[in-house]
Amino acid sequence: MAAAKAGISRNSEENSALAGRLSREIAGDILFDAPSRGRYATDASFYQIVPAGVVVPRSMDEALRTLTICRDEGRIVTPRGGGTSQCGQTINEGIVVDFSKHLNRLVSVDVENRTCLVEPGIVLDDLNRQLKPHGLWFPVDVSTASRATIGGMAGNNSCGGRSLRYGTMRDNTLSIDAALADGTLLHFGEVPRDLARANSPENGPSLFRDMLDLGEREAAEIAARFPKVQRRVGGYNLDALVPRNAPNNLAHLLVGSEGTLAFTTQVELKLWPIIRNKVLGVCHFGSFYEAMDAAQHLVRLRPIAVELVDRTMIALGRDIAMFRTVIDTTVRGDPDALLIVEFAEEEQADNLHKLKQLSELMVDLGFGWSHPQRKWGGVVDVVEPALQTAIADFRTSGLNVMMSMKQEGKPVSFVEDCAVPLPHLADYTERLNAIFAKHGTRGTMYAHASEGCLHVRPVLNLKLERDVKAMRAIAEEAFAMVREYKGSHSGEHGDGLVRSEFHESMFGERIVADFREVKERFDPGRVLNPGKIVDAPRMDDRSLFRYSPDYRAGELRTVLDWSAYPGAGGGFQGAIEMCNNNGACRKLEGGVMCPSYRATRNEKDVTRGRANTLRLAISGQLGPDALTSDEMMEALVLCVSCKACRHECPTGVDMAKMKIEVLAARATKYGISFRDRLVAYLPRYVGLASRFASIANSRNRSALLRRLFEKFVGISAKRSLPVFRHDVFAPDVDVFGPVDGREVVLFADTFNRAYERENLDAALRVLVAGGYRVHIPKPADGSRPLCCGRTFLSVGLVDQAREELTRLVTTYAPFALRGVPIIGLEPSCLLTLRDELLSIRSDNDARAISAQALLLEEFLVHEAEAGRLKLPLGAIDARALVHGHCHQKSFGAFKPMEKVLRLVPELRVETIESSCCGMAGAFGYGADTHEASTEMAELSLLPAVRRADDQTIVVANGTSCRHQIKDGTAREAIHVARILALSLDSIDSSPVTTKE
C-alpha cells in the first residue's frame, strides 16, 4: 500500500491500459490525470493514498461494470460517497468509484410503512428535503449531513447526535442490495435461520448459511468480547448473526463494513415522523469534570440528545464570523463546558415542562449561577426555532471549528470517538486529559455526551516525528483505558486506517480471526477496499500520511499578506493547509458555497478540490511549476471568487484570495490575454469609451462583431456587454447637502459611474434627504476617477491594483482618519476596501479606510438603529423580491439590505434563497464559462425571478447580478438606492404602487 504514495504525477503503462478500457466501456468520467488522482487521495483523515484512477459512473450498471473490469485487471476497488471519512476509509491505491455525482436517487417511498429505497450516493440532507413533504425524515443526523451520502453512512455505521432516541445507522437500515466482488447480486435483509424463505441466487443461501453458522459457533465469544455500549461501530457486526437476534438481518453485517464486503447498489431505510416541536436547554458548567459527571443524570429526563461544547470550541467559535452572534446570544458568563440538552416531545407544553425539570435537576445536582466555579452553572432556555437552528449549525460544525486553529498543530482524529458507559465519562475524560498532558499536548472535546462518545482530539503537528510518536503512545494508552471501562474504541466514525490494527487488543485474537473469515468468505480476492477492518497497516505509518516525512512546500513568492498563517510563502502554505477535507463546501442548498460545485458536482470544482490541488502543487507532488500550470487553472477556472468559502467554510479557506495568488504567478510568468486586459484596464479606458459610446457599443448591435469577439477575444456571443453612456456620473462639485450635516463620503465606483449612474444619483439624493453632508472627493492630482482595483485583482495584476488602491487611500484617508464613513453601492468594489486592501497594505491609513467602509444599506441601518436616520420615506405598495450579492453575504452585509427595505412602508420584502448569480464580474461573459455561469443562475435565482409576476420589483445590488437577471429573464433588477429614492418620491405625490 505504501508504494501508492510515490509520485502522483507518474502513471504507469498498466494504468493507461486500464484507463483506456474503462473509457471504452463506460460513459461516465474516467479520471487518471495526476490532479484528479491527487484530489481523491485524501478524505477528512490525516492520510493520503494516491489511487490508480477514479471512475464517476453515470448509472449503477456502469458502477458494476467498473467492478467487473477491475476484478479482471487485478485491481482493487474503493467505493466513495462524500469523501468525509475521518479514518481513511475512502482512500486506497486501486480505483475509486465516486457514487455521489449520479447515483443519488430516492428510488421509492412507502409513506404508510415509513420506509424508502435509495441509491447509495444520495446525500442525507437531500434525502430529507425530498421526504419532508411526506412528513417523514431519516434521523441519523450526522454533522456532515449536507454532504454525507447514505452509502457512506451505511459503510461507517454512522450515528448522529440523536441516536439516544433513534439509534444508529444499523438500527435504521432494513435491507441492502449489493454485489459481491465476483459480481453476484444479492439482497441482504432479514432471513430465517433455516433460510427457507431466503430470496437470493443459489450461492446466496450458501453465503448466508455460512455467516449464520459463524454467528452460532461464536455466540458466546461475541457476547463476552463485544462492548455493551450502543456506540460500538468497530469491526464487523458479528452480533447480527447470533441466534438470539433471529430472524437475522444480514444487511446489518454490511453496515459498518466500510466497503470491504460488498458493493452497495440500493439501501432500504426505516423512516420516522418529522420532529414538530422542540426546545433546547443550554446547561452551563464552571467545571468540565462536573459537566461530564452530570451527563448520566441529565439523560434520565429522556432528552433526544445531550451535546457537549467545551471551552476551546466556544473560544474558537467567537473568532468565526458566522458563529459569533449565536455564542454571544446563548452563552452566559465564562463556562468551562456547555451541555446542550434537546427535548422533542409531540406537544410543546411537554417540552416546556421538560425544560423546567431540567432547571430543577441542575439545582438538585448542586449547580447555581451564584455558586463557586466548580458548582457554578445553570440553564439558558432556547425556545425560538431560529436560535435553535443557529445553535445546531454551530454544534454540527464542531469538527471544522476545532480545525480552525491557525497553527501547525491541529486537533487530530484518532481517539476521536471512543465510547464509554456514562457513569465513567467524567473519570475517562479527566484521565484522558492527563494522558495528553503527559505527552506534551492538550485536547479538544465536544459532541455526544448523552452516549458517552465525545469527539476528542489532541493537538499535534503530524509533520513532526515526535508528535507522530506521541500520537501512537496516546492511542495505545487511551484504548487501554477504554477497554478498562468496557467501552468501544470506535464509537461513530469507524475503523479505517486509524483503528483497525487495534482490533485484536479490543476484541481478542479469536474474534479478529472471525473478522478475517468473513472477509475471506465475501471477498477472497481482496478486491474490495482492502486494508480496512482486517489486515490493516500500522496507524502511524507515515508513508501513508497526507504530510509524509518528505512533504515540503517549495519557496513561494506571494503578492498578498498571509502572515496570519504559518509556512512557506509568508503563510500561503498554512492558509492552503487549513482545508481539512471535511467537505462543508459540498453542500447543495443553503448559503452560497460552493456555486460551481452545485452546478457541476465535480470534485475538481469544489473548494476542497481546489485546496487539495493547491496543496499538491506547492509541495511538488504535481511536478515542477504546478502552481502556474494549465492543470492548476483548470481547477480554478470555475471559481467565481464569490468569497462564500471565506465566510461559510468554518476553517476559513479563502479560495478567492488564493486564486489571486495563482493568477498573479501566471501573469508574471506568461502575461495575460487580450480579454483579461480588456477586463483589467476598464477603469482606465472607460472615460474614453464613454466619449465614443456609440462606437464602443457597436459590438452589441452586430451579430458579426459578436462572433468575432467570441473567436478572437473569448467573449461569448450570447452575452450583451454593459452599455457605455455619454452622461457618466461626474458631478461638478465635491460636496452636497447641508453644511451642518453629518459627513459621509460617497464612493462612486467605476461600474455605477460609467454604466448605471441612476444608482449614484439615487444614493446621493437619499443621503442629502437624510441630512448628510456628502463628499465625493477627487484625486488631488486631478487624474481619472478613483477605483478600488477590483478588475486588476480579477486577473492577477496585483501591482496595478495596488496603484489604484494607493490613489484611493491617499484621497480618502483624511476623511477616514477623522471617522467619516465611506459609503459605496457596488458590493464587490466597496468590500474590496474591507478585504483585499488589507492584504495589499496594512498601514494606518489603509486600516482606517477599511474600518469606515460601509455599503449604503449598512450605513442607513446603523443610523436607524442609533436613532439618527431622518429619511422621509413614503409608501410603496409592492412586493420586492431580493437577491443578495455573494460578497454581501460573505461579509454579513446582506441582512442590512433586507432591513433597510423593510423601512419602506407597505413594501413586502421577500428574499430569494440563492447562491451566486454566476455572472461574477467578467466570468459570465467568457465564451468558455458562459454555460457554467448560466447553470449557476438556473439553480435558484432565475427560476425565482421568472415565477414573480410583472408587478414585483426585483432588487439586486450587484452590477453583475442585475446583468445576469436581465440576460436570463428579460427582467430589470434595480439597486436598493433606487427603491429608497422611489420611496422619497411618494411623499411628494400619491403613494407609489405597481398595481394596475
Side-chain angles (χ1 to χ4, degrees):
M1 185 177 289
K5 185 76 178 184
I8 297 177
S9 60
R10 296 194 298 275
N11 213 345
S12 67
E13 291 182 12
E14 199 174 71
N15 282 352
S16 297
L18 177 59
R21 182 179 175 189
L22 288 165
S23 297
R24 289 190 300 272
E25 300 187 34
I26 290 172
D29 299 331
I30 310 300
L31 308 173
F32 276 65
D33 60 287
S36 292
R37 293 164 60 226
R39 285 187 282 266
Y40 281 87
T42 49
D43 53 14
S45 71
F46 54 82
Y47 295 106
Q48 175 174 302
I49 302 174
V50 182
V54 179
V55 175
V56 186
R58 292 181 178 273
S59 67
M60 194 58 69
D61 285 344
E62 286 194 354
L64 295 173
R65 183 61 185 158
T66 300
L67 176 61
T68 298
I69 292 171
C70 290
R71 186 181 64 248
D72 291 348
E73 300 289 339
R75 297 304 185 94
I76 65 175
V77 176
T78 298
R80 178 171 167 128
T84 61
S85 301
Q86 294 180 32
C87 303
Q89 291 96 321
T90 63
I91 56 176
N92 223 319
E93 60 188 7
I95 299 300
V96 171
V97 181
D98 184 346
F99 284 77
S100 65
K101 183 174 181 178
H102 297 295
L103 307 182
N104 49 28
R105 293 182 305 136
L106 169 59
V107 178
S108 63
V109 183
D110 183 338
V111 176
E112 183 178 353
N113 292 308
R114 295 178 184 171
T115 67
C116 70
L117 194 64
V118 301
E119 290 182 327
I122 193 169
V123 170
L124 176 58
D125 274 355
D126 191 33
L127 170 62
N128 280 329
R129 277 190 288 270
Q130 296 182 62
L131 293 173
K132 188 175 181 179
H134 303 293
L136 299 172
W137 76 311
F138 187 66
V140 185
D141 55 338
V142 295
S143 61
T144 53
S146 64
R147 59 271 194 199
T149 64
I150 292 297
M153 291 170 62
N156 284 355
N157 192 8
S158 296
C159 301
R162 297 183 173 103
S163 61
L164 191 64
R165 171 171 292 184
Y166 296 109
T168 67
M169 192 73 192
R170 172 180 170 177
D171 300 316
N172 291 280
T173 299
L174 299 176
S175 69
I176 294 176
D177 291 333
L180 301 183
D182 66 5
T184 301
L185 291 169
L186 296 176
H187 177 75
F188 292 83
E190 282 195 356
V191 296
R193 294 198 69 82
D194 61 9
L195 296 181
R197 298 188 304 277
N199 179 23
S200 302
E202 187 174 335
N203 60 345
S206 174
L207 172 65
F208 296 167
R209 178 74 267 162
D210 290 347
M211 293 299 100
L212 295 177
D213 286 347
L214 184 150
E216 188 167 355
R217 184 188 78 217
E218 300 295 333
E221 187 73 4
I222 292 168
R225 298 306 300 251
F226 272 47
K228 305 299 188 295
V229 291
Q230 184 191 44
R231 290 300 191 95
R232 180 206 57 76
V233 302
Y236 293 128
N237 290 323
L238 303 184
D239 55 330
L241 306 175
V242 300
R244 63 181 170 83
N245 285 332
N248 300 89
N249 192 326
L250 272 296
H252 295 173
L253 183 60
L254 296 188
V255 173
S257 65
E258 302 185 354
T260 64
L261 299 183
F263 207 66
T264 299
T265 60
Q266 288 190 142
V267 185
E268 184 185 14
L269 302 173
K270 176 183 178 182
L271 305 178
W272 295 71
I274 287 176
I275 293 175
R276 299 295 181 185
N277 295 297
K278 64 180 178 180
V279 296
L280 302 180
V282 183
C283 298
H284 290 55
F285 299 88
S287 160
F288 185 88
Y289 181 92
E290 292 291 340
M292 296 302 92
D293 188 57
Q296 61 185 309
H297 305 292
L298 300 185
V299 298
R300 296 204 305 262
L301 296 178
R302 299 182 63 79
I304 66 171
V306 180
E307 296 287 294
L308 166 68
V309 174
D310 77 350
R311 173 182 292 277
T312 301
M313 186 170 170
I314 294 170
L316 290 170
R318 280 201 170 105
D319 289 334
I320 299 172
M322 66 188 297
F323 298 130
R324 191 175 301 122
T325 300
V326 66
I327 293 172
D328 291 344
T329 303
T330 308
V331 179
R332 179 172 172 178
D334 184 28
D336 207 31
L338 305 174
L339 288 179
I340 302 171
V341 183
E342 182 175 10
F343 300 106
E345 302 303 320
E346 186 69 24
E347 299 297 330
Q348 188 71 340
D350 293 335
N351 291 322
L352 297 175
H353 179 65
K354 293 266 190 179
L355 274 183
K356 183 173 181 292
Q357 289 181 309
L358 179 64
S359 292
E360 292 170 349
L361 178 57
M362 285 286 285
V363 172
D364 291 343
L365 294 174
F367 297 100
W369 294 116
S370 60
H371 291 189
Q373 182 174 354
R374 187 168 182 88
K375 284 294 185 178
W376 174 87
V379 183
V380 172
D381 295 346
V382 179
V383 179
E384 301 84 356
L387 185 54
Q388 291 175 12
T389 299
I391 292 171
D393 289 344
F394 175 57
R395 203 283 304 163
T396 56
S397 296
L399 166 62
N400 282 329
V401 171
M402 294 301 191
M403 295 298 288
S404 67
M405 296 178 179
K406 296 177 181 178
Q407 61 187 49
E408 291 278 14
K410 295 285 195 297
V412 179
S413 172
F414 61 99
V415 291
E416 156 106 344
D417 53 340
C418 299
V420 298
L422 274 181
H424 302 302
L425 185 60
D427 288 339
Y428 165 70
T429 53
E430 185 169 64
R431 290 174 64 187
L432 195 58
N433 278 323
I435 292 173
F436 295 161
K438 171 184 171 183
H439 294 284
T441 187
R442 58 191 173 85
T444 63
M445 300 186 185
Y446 66 100
H448 315 305
S450 55
E451 298 282 9
C453 179
L454 302 184
H455 294 335
V456 178
R457 293 186 167 214
V459 177
L460 298 167
N461 179 5
L462 295 188
K463 296 176 183 176
L464 303 178
E465 179 65 25
R466 69 170 185 269
D467 280 21
V468 174
K469 289 180 177 177
M471 179 178 71
R472 178 84 200 186
I474 291 170
E476 291 176 348
E477 294 176 43
F479 293 159
M481 183 169 53
V482 169
R483 292 194 298 275
E484 177 186 333
Y485 289 126
K486 300 188 184 305
S488 170
H489 67 187
S490 187
E492 180 170 21
H493 294 149
D495 300 328
L497 299 169
V498 174
R499 284 182 279 268
S500 293
E501 71 156 302
F502 295 99
H503 283 338
E504 190 162 319
S505 58
M506 170 61 67
F507 295 104
E509 184 177 342
R510 183 170 169 179
I511 291 293
V512 170
D514 293 334
F515 291 164
R516 288 197 181 95
E517 181 180 337
V518 171
K519 173 67 172 175
E520 178 68 23
R521 185 63 180 83
F522 272 81
D523 181 24
R526 297 296 196 270
V527 172
L528 296 173
N529 204 22
K532 320 294 162 55
I533 300 181
V534 299
D535 301 324
R538 285 175 60 90
M539 61 91 75
D540 55 337
D541 180 350
R542 291 190 70 193
S543 70
L544 302 178
F545 281 19
R546 190 183 304 184
Y547 305 120
S548 61
D550 59 352
Y551 179 87
R552 300 285 185 280
E555 286 302 313
L556 299 167
R557 178 186 175 274
T558 52
V559 294
L560 301 176
D561 180 9
W562 300 96
S563 59
Y565 304 92
F572 186 44
Q573 173 190 356
I576 293 169
E577 292 172 358
M578 288 298 292
C579 178
N580 62 33
N581 270 25
N582 197 250
C585 43
R586 287 173 61 99
K587 64 184 178 183
L588 300 175
E589 287 194 14
V592 178
M593 183 175 69
C594 173
S596 53
Y597 174 73
R598 293 182 182 186
T600 71
R601 302 288 181 93
N602 291 329
E603 183 70 18
K604 169 177 67 69
D605 300 320
V606 73
T607 305
R608 176 179 74 178
R610 295 177 180 124
N612 273 322
T613 310
L614 282 165
R615 176 180 55 80
L616 296 167
I618 66 171
S619 58
Q621 296 181 69
L622 297 179
D625 301 320
L627 190 65
T628 56
S629 67
D630 290 344
E631 290 80 6
M632 186 73 247
M633 279 310 300
E634 186 182 350
L636 289 172
V637 68
L638 297 188
C639 172
V640 292
S641 298
C642 64
K643 301 190 182 184
C645 49
R646 174 194 174 278
H647 176 68
E648 295 177 25
C649 171
T651 62
V653 174
D654 189 345
M655 192 52 59
K657 186 176 175 182
M658 293 174 187
K659 184 176 181 179
I660 292 173
E661 285 289 357
V662 175
L663 292 172
R666 279 182 64 90
T668 298
K669 186 172 183 178
Y670 301 114
I672 63 173
S673 68
F674 180 59
R675 182 180 74 181
D676 285 348
R677 286 189 178 277
L678 282 178
V679 171
Y681 286 89
L682 172 68
R684 297 189 184 177
Y685 69 74
V686 69
L688 180 63
S690 296
R691 287 198 291 273
F692 299 95
S694 60
I695 297 174
N697 294 328
S698 60
R699 177 264 178 199
N700 284 352
R701 299 189 298 270
S702 166
L704 174 62
L705 287 177
R706 284 178 180 248
R707 291 196 297 271
L708 291 174
F709 263 67
E710 179 165 301
K711 182 175 181 179
F712 294 107
V713 184
I715 294 176
S716 174
K718 298 176 182 177
R719 288 286 190 191
S720 293
L721 293 174
V723 178
F724 293 101
R725 56 196 294 171
H726 294 291
D727 59 333
V728 297
F729 183 81
D732 295 329
V733 296
D734 296 346
V735 62
F736 298 82
V739 175
D740 59 349
R742 184 187 177 193
E743 289 185 293
V744 297
V745 169
L746 179 61
F747 172 29
D749 64 272
T750 300
F751 304 105
N752 283 301
R753 181 170 49 81
Y755 298 125
E756 296 182 82
R757 67 164 296 168
E758 293 85 0
N759 298 327
L760 287 164
D761 291 332
L764 182 58
R765 183 177 170 211
V766 167
L767 290 169
V768 170
Y772 299 100
R773 182 74 166 169
V774 184
H775 297 275
I776 309 178
K778 297 182 175 66
D781 60 6
S783 61
R784 65 186 180 278
L786 297 173
C787 167
C788 68
R790 163 61 50 196
T791 58
F792 290 111
L793 291 172
S794 72
V795 300
L797 297 182
V798 177
D799 287 342
Q800 289 84 344
R802 181 179 290 107
E803 180 183 340
E804 295 298 331
L805 284 168
T806 296
R807 296 172 63 243
L808 184 146
V809 168
T810 300
T811 306
Y812 286 171
F815 296 94
L817 289 170
R818 66 173 193 263
V820 176
I822 298 166
I823 300 171
L825 303 188
E826 171 57 39
S828 63
C829 294
L830 186 282
L831 294 172
T832 297
L833 308 185
R834 299 229 291 257
D835 190 7
E836 288 90 352
L837 171 60
L838 298 183
S839 292
I840 290 175
R841 50 185 292 175
S842 57
D843 54 280
N844 288 336
D845 288 355
R847 286 196 296 271
I849 288 171
S850 181
Q852 295 300 327
L854 293 168
L855 289 165
L856 174 67
E857 55 270 21
E858 291 182 293
F859 172 73
L860 294 176
V861 167
H862 287 173
E863 292 292 280
E865 291 175 347
R868 293 191 297 263
L869 187 64
K870 297 179 174 60
L871 270 180
L873 296 175
I876 299 179
D877 182 11
R879 174 190 180 218
L881 190 63
V882 186
H883 166 70
H885 189 285
C886 299
H887 294 185
Q888 283 179 292
K889 295 174 181 176
S890 177
F891 286 85
F894 180 56
K895 289 297 180 184
M897 183 175 172
E898 296 174 310
K899 289 180 179 179
V900 82
L901 286 169
R902 290 192 173 100
L903 295 177
V904 178
E906 298 186 31
L907 187 65
R908 300 177 295 283
V909 181
E910 296 180 25
T911 298
I912 302 172
E913 292 299 325
S914 53
S915 181
C916 179
C917 75
M919 198 61 155
F923 177 85
Y925 294 103
D928 56 338
T929 52
H930 168 266
E931 183 178 350
S933 168
T934 302
E935 287 175 356
M936 293 179 202
E938 291 289 356
L939 290 172
S940 57
L941 172 60
L942 298 185
V945 174
R946 292 190 193 104
R947 287 193 297 269
D949 60 35
D950 292 341
Q951 288 72 45
T952 297
I953 303 172
V954 182
V955 186
N957 276 12
T959 299
S960 296
C961 306
R962 293 192 293 275
H963 287 195
Q964 183 76 294
I965 291 168
K966 178 65 179 295
D967 282 357
T969 67
R971 292 285 296 268
E972 296 283 351
I974 64 175
H975 194 283
V976 69
R978 293 178 62 188
I979 294 283
L980 296 174
L982 284 171
S983 180
L984 293 175
D985 288 340
S986 73
I987 292 294
D988 301 324
S989 59
S990 59
V992 175
T993 179
T994 62
K995 294 181 178 178
E996 294 291 337

Short mmCIF file of all heavy atoms in Angstrom, two decimals, residues 840-865:
data_model
loop_
_atom_site.label_atom_id
_atom_site.label_comp_id
_atom_site.label_asym_id
_atom_site.label_seq_id
_atom_site.Cartn_x
_atom_site.Cartn_y
_atom_site.Cartn_z
N ILE A 840 -3.02 43.91 0.85
CA ILE A 840 -2.05 44.58 -0.02
C ILE A 840 -1.25 45.62 0.74
O ILE A 840 -0.05 45.79 0.53
CB ILE A 840 -2.77 45.21 -1.23
CG1 ILE A 840 -3.28 44.09 -2.15
CG2 ILE A 840 -1.88 46.17 -1.99
CD1 ILE A 840 -4.13 44.56 -3.30
N ARG A 841 -1.89 46.30 1.68
CA ARG A 841 -1.17 47.25 2.54
C ARG A 841 -1.88 47.29 3.90
O ARG A 841 -3.10 47.20 3.98
CB ARG A 841 -1.10 48.64 1.92
CG ARG A 841 -2.40 49.21 1.42
CD ARG A 841 -2.19 50.53 0.70
NE ARG A 841 -1.76 51.58 1.62
CZ ARG A 841 -1.42 52.81 1.23
NH1 ARG A 841 -1.43 53.13 -0.05
NH2 ARG A 841 -1.05 53.72 2.11
N SER A 842 -1.09 47.42 4.94
CA SER A 842 -1.63 47.35 6.30
C SER A 842 -1.25 48.56 7.14
O SER A 842 -1.20 48.49 8.36
CB SER A 842 -1.15 46.07 7.00
OG SER A 842 0.27 46.03 7.02
N ASP A 843 -0.99 49.70 6.51
CA ASP A 843 -0.64 50.93 7.23
C ASP A 843 -1.88 51.51 7.89
O ASP A 843 -3.01 51.07 7.65
CB ASP A 843 -0.02 51.93 6.26
CG ASP A 843 -0.92 52.17 5.06
OD1 ASP A 843 -0.90 51.33 4.12
OD2 ASP A 843 -1.67 53.15 5.06
N ASN A 844 -1.68 52.51 8.71
CA ASN A 844 -2.78 53.12 9.47
C ASN A 844 -3.85 53.69 8.56
O ASN A 844 -5.06 53.59 8.84
CB ASN A 844 -2.25 54.21 10.40
CG ASN A 844 -1.48 53.62 11.58
OD1 ASN A 844 -1.69 52.46 11.95
ND2 ASN A 844 -0.59 54.41 12.16
N ASP A 845 -3.43 54.32 7.45
CA ASP A 845 -4.41 54.91 6.54
C ASP A 845 -5.32 53.84 5.95
O ASP A 845 -6.54 54.01 5.88
CB ASP A 845 -3.69 55.65 5.41
CG ASP A 845 -3.04 56.95 5.87
OD1 ASP A 845 -3.23 57.32 7.05
OD2 ASP A 845 -2.34 57.58 5.06
N ALA A 846 -4.70 52.72 5.53
CA ALA A 846 -5.50 51.64 4.93
C ALA A 846 -6.44 51.04 5.97
O ALA A 846 -7.61 50.75 5.67
CB ALA A 846 -4.58 50.57 4.36
N ARG A 847 -5.94 50.85 7.18
CA ARG A 847 -6.79 50.27 8.23
C ARG A 847 -7.96 51.20 8.56
O ARG A 847 -9.07 50.74 8.82
CB ARG A 847 -5.97 49.96 9.47
CG ARG A 847 -5.06 48.74 9.30
CD ARG A 847 -4.58 48.24 10.66
NE ARG A 847 -3.73 49.21 11.34
CZ ARG A 847 -2.42 49.30 11.19
NH1 ARG A 847 -1.79 48.45 10.37
NH2 ARG A 847 -1.71 50.20 11.85
N ALA A 848 -7.71 52.50 8.55
CA ALA A 848 -8.78 53.45 8.85
C ALA A 848 -9.86 53.40 7.77
O ALA A 848 -11.06 53.41 8.07
CB ALA A 848 -8.21 54.86 8.96
N ILE A 849 -9.45 53.35 6.52
CA ILE A 849 -10.41 53.29 5.42
C ILE A 849 -11.21 51.99 5.49
O ILE A 849 -12.44 51.99 5.32
CB ILE A 849 -9.68 53.43 4.07
CG1 ILE A 849 -9.21 54.88 3.90
CG2 ILE A 849 -10.57 53.01 2.91
CD1 ILE A 849 -8.29 55.10 2.73
N SER A 850 -10.53 50.89 5.76
CA SER A 850 -11.21 49.61 5.86
C SER A 850 -12.27 49.64 6.96
O SER A 850 -13.38 49.13 6.79
CB SER A 850 -10.20 48.49 6.13
OG SER A 850 -10.84 47.24 6.21
N ALA A 851 -11.92 50.27 8.08
CA ALA A 851 -12.84 50.32 9.22
C ALA A 851 -14.06 51.19 8.93
O ALA A 851 -15.14 50.97 9.50
CB ALA A 851 -12.11 50.84 10.45
N GLN A 852 -13.91 52.19 8.06
CA GLN A 852 -15.01 53.11 7.78
C GLN A 852 -15.83 52.72 6.55
O GLN A 852 -16.85 53.34 6.27
CB GLN A 852 -14.46 54.53 7.58
CG GLN A 852 -13.83 55.14 8.82
CD GLN A 852 -14.81 55.27 9.98
OE1 GLN A 852 -16.01 55.48 9.76
NE2 GLN A 852 -14.32 55.14 11.20
N ALA A 853 -15.40 51.70 5.81
CA ALA A 853 -16.07 51.34 4.56
C ALA A 853 -17.39 50.63 4.84
O ALA A 853 -17.43 49.60 5.52
CB ALA A 853 -15.16 50.46 3.72
N LEU A 854 -18.48 51.17 4.30
CA LEU A 854 -19.81 50.61 4.50
C LEU A 854 -20.60 50.67 3.22
O LEU A 854 -20.51 51.65 2.47
CB LEU A 854 -20.57 51.40 5.57
CG LEU A 854 -20.08 51.34 7.02
CD1 LEU A 854 -20.77 52.41 7.85
CD2 LEU A 854 -20.34 49.96 7.61
N LEU A 855 -21.38 49.64 2.96
CA LEU A 855 -22.36 49.72 1.90
C LEU A 855 -23.48 50.67 2.32
O LEU A 855 -23.73 50.86 3.53
CB LEU A 855 -22.92 48.34 1.58
CG LEU A 855 -21.94 47.40 0.87
CD1 LEU A 855 -22.44 45.96 0.94
CD2 LEU A 855 -21.72 47.81 -0.57
N LEU A 856 -24.16 51.24 1.36
CA LEU A 856 -25.22 52.21 1.66
C LEU A 856 -26.22 51.66 2.66
O LEU A 856 -26.58 52.32 3.63
CB LEU A 856 -25.93 52.61 0.36
CG LEU A 856 -27.15 53.52 0.53
CD1 LEU A 856 -26.74 54.89 1.04
CD2 LEU A 856 -27.91 53.63 -0.80
N GLU A 857 -26.66 50.41 2.43
CA GLU A 857 -27.67 49.83 3.31
C GLU A 857 -27.12 49.60 4.72
O GLU A 857 -27.85 49.74 5.71
CB GLU A 857 -28.22 48.54 2.72
CG GLU A 857 -27.17 47.50 2.38
CD GLU A 857 -26.64 47.62 0.95
OE1 GLU A 857 -26.76 48.72 0.35
OE2 GLU A 857 -26.13 46.61 0.44
N GLU A 858 -25.84 49.24 4.84
CA GLU A 858 -25.24 49.07 6.16
C GLU A 858 -25.24 50.39 6.91
O GLU A 858 -25.59 50.45 8.10
CB GLU A 858 -23.81 48.56 6.03
CG GLU A 858 -23.66 47.15 5.54
CD GLU A 858 -22.20 46.73 5.50
OE1 GLU A 858 -21.45 47.28 4.68
OE2 GLU A 858 -21.82 45.87 6.31
N PHE A 859 -24.83 51.45 6.22
CA PHE A 859 -24.78 52.76 6.86
C PHE A 859 -26.17 53.20 7.33
O PHE A 859 -26.34 53.64 8.48
CB PHE A 859 -24.20 53.79 5.89
CG PHE A 859 -24.28 55.20 6.40
CD1 PHE A 859 -23.45 55.64 7.41
CD2 PHE A 859 -25.23 56.08 5.89
CE1 PHE A 859 -23.53 56.95 7.89
CE2 PHE A 859 -25.34 57.38 6.36
CZ PHE A 859 -24.49 57.81 7.37
N LEU A 860 -27.17 53.06 6.46
CA LEU A 860 -28.50 53.53 6.82
C LEU A 860 -29.09 52.72 7.97
O LEU A 860 -29.76 53.28 8.84
CB LEU A 860 -29.41 53.45 5.59
CG LEU A 860 -29.06 54.40 4.44
CD1 LEU A 860 -29.97 54.16 3.25
CD2 LEU A 860 -29.11 55.86 4.88
N VAL A 861 -28.84 51.42 8.00
CA VAL A 861 -29.34 50.60 9.11
C VAL A 861 -28.65 50.99 10.41
O VAL A 861 -29.29 51.08 11.47
CB VAL A 861 -29.16 49.10 8.79
CG1 VAL A 861 -29.37 48.25 10.04
CG2 VAL A 861 -30.14 48.69 7.71
N HIS A 862 -27.32 51.21 10.35
CA HIS A 862 -26.61 51.67 11.56
C HIS A 862 -27.22 52.97 12.07
O HIS A 862 -27.44 53.15 13.27
CB HIS A 862 -25.14 51.91 11.25
CG HIS A 862 -24.35 50.65 11.06
ND1 HIS A 862 -23.05 50.64 10.65
CD2 HIS A 862 -24.69 49.35 11.23
CE1 HIS A 862 -22.62 49.39 10.57
NE2 HIS A 862 -23.61 48.60 10.92
N GLU A 863 -27.50 53.89 11.15
CA GLU A 863 -28.08 55.17 11.54
C GLU A 863 -29.48 54.98 12.14
O GLU A 863 -29.83 55.61 13.14
CB GLU A 863 -28.16 56.11 10.32
CG GLU A 863 -26.82 56.58 9.81
CD GLU A 863 -26.11 57.50 10.79
OE1 GLU A 863 -26.45 58.70 10.84
OE2 GLU A 863 -25.23 57.02 11.54
N ALA A 864 -30.26 54.10 11.54
CA ALA A 864 -31.61 53.86 12.05
C ALA A 864 -31.56 53.25 13.44
O ALA A 864 -32.31 53.65 14.35
CB ALA A 864 -32.37 52.94 11.09
N GLU A 865 -30.66 52.29 13.64
CA GLU A 865 -30.57 51.63 14.94
C GLU A 865 -30.04 52.57 16.01
O GLU A 865 -30.32 52.40 17.20
CB GLU A 865 -29.68 50.39 14.82
CG GLU A 865 -30.34 49.28 13.99
CD GLU A 865 -29.43 48.09 13.75
OE1 GLU A 865 -28.20 48.22 14.00
OE2 GLU A 865 -29.93 47.04 13.30
#
